[in-house]
Amino acid sequence: MLPQSTRCYHILWSFIAATFMCTSNVLYTQSDAFSTPVSHWIGYQVIQGIGAGFGMQMTLLSVQLKLKDNPDLVPVGIAFVMFLQYLGSTFTQVAAGTLFNNELQAGLVEHAGLNPSQAAMLL
C-alpha cells in the first residue's frame, strides 16, 4: 500500500471525467438535429459539462501532485497546462465552426429547399 502522501485520489475522478465526456459524445453522434428533442440536447450538454469540469480540474491537480517536490515549478506547470487547454479549445472551435458552416449550407440546400446561391447569401 502506498504511503498517504503519494496516493493518487485524482485518478478516479479523471476516469469519471472521461466516462462523462465519452458518453456525451456518443449521445451527440447518435442524435439528429431535426428529430431529437431539445430536452435531450440540454441533457447531453449537462453531461458534457460535468465531464469537462472534472477533467479540466484534474489536470491541474495532477501537475501539483507531480511537481510537489519542486514548489518553484508548480506555477510554471499550471500555466503551461492552462495554455495548452486554451490553445486546444481555440483550434477545436475554429475547426468546429468551419464544419458547422459547411454542414449548415448543405442542410439549407437539402432541407429548406434553397438553391446553393441563396444558402451562400445567408452565410
Side-chain angles (χ1 to χ4, degrees):
M1 191 156 166
L2 293 172
Q4 181 72 21
S5 62
T6 59
R7 291 187 185 161
C8 298
Y9 293 110
H10 65 282
I11 299 294
L12 171 67
W13 297 106
S14 297
F15 286 130
I16 291 172
T19 303
F20 275 101
M21 290 297 288
C22 289
T23 302
S24 68
N25 289 333
V26 167
L27 291 171
Y28 284 137
T29 60
Q30 299 300 317
S31 301
D32 183 24
F34 298 103
S35 63
T36 304
V38 174
S39 61
H40 288 136
W41 287 106
I42 293 170
Y44 303 162
Q45 291 175 359
V46 168
I47 293 170
Q48 182 184 12
I50 291 170
F54 280 140
M56 291 188 74
Q57 296 303 317
M58 291 306 108
T59 55
L60 298 176
L61 290 175
S62 299
V63 167
Q64 292 175 29
L65 180 66
K66 186 67 176 174
L67 297 175
K68 69 179 178 209
D69 295 332
N70 298 325
D72 294 339
L73 294 179
V74 171
V76 175
I78 290 174
F80 184 67
V81 167
M82 290 180 69
F83 170 74
L84 291 178
Q85 286 176 341
Y86 289 125
L87 184 68
S89 298
T90 302
F91 286 127
T92 304
Q93 190 171 18
V94 168
T98 303
L99 180 65
F100 175 76
N101 283 335
N102 291 340
E103 291 296 318
L104 178 63
Q105 186 168 6
L108 287 172
V109 170
E110 182 180 339
H111 296 290
L114 301 176
N115 62 36
S117 62
Q118 290 172 328
M121 285 180 9
L122 291 174
L123 299 175

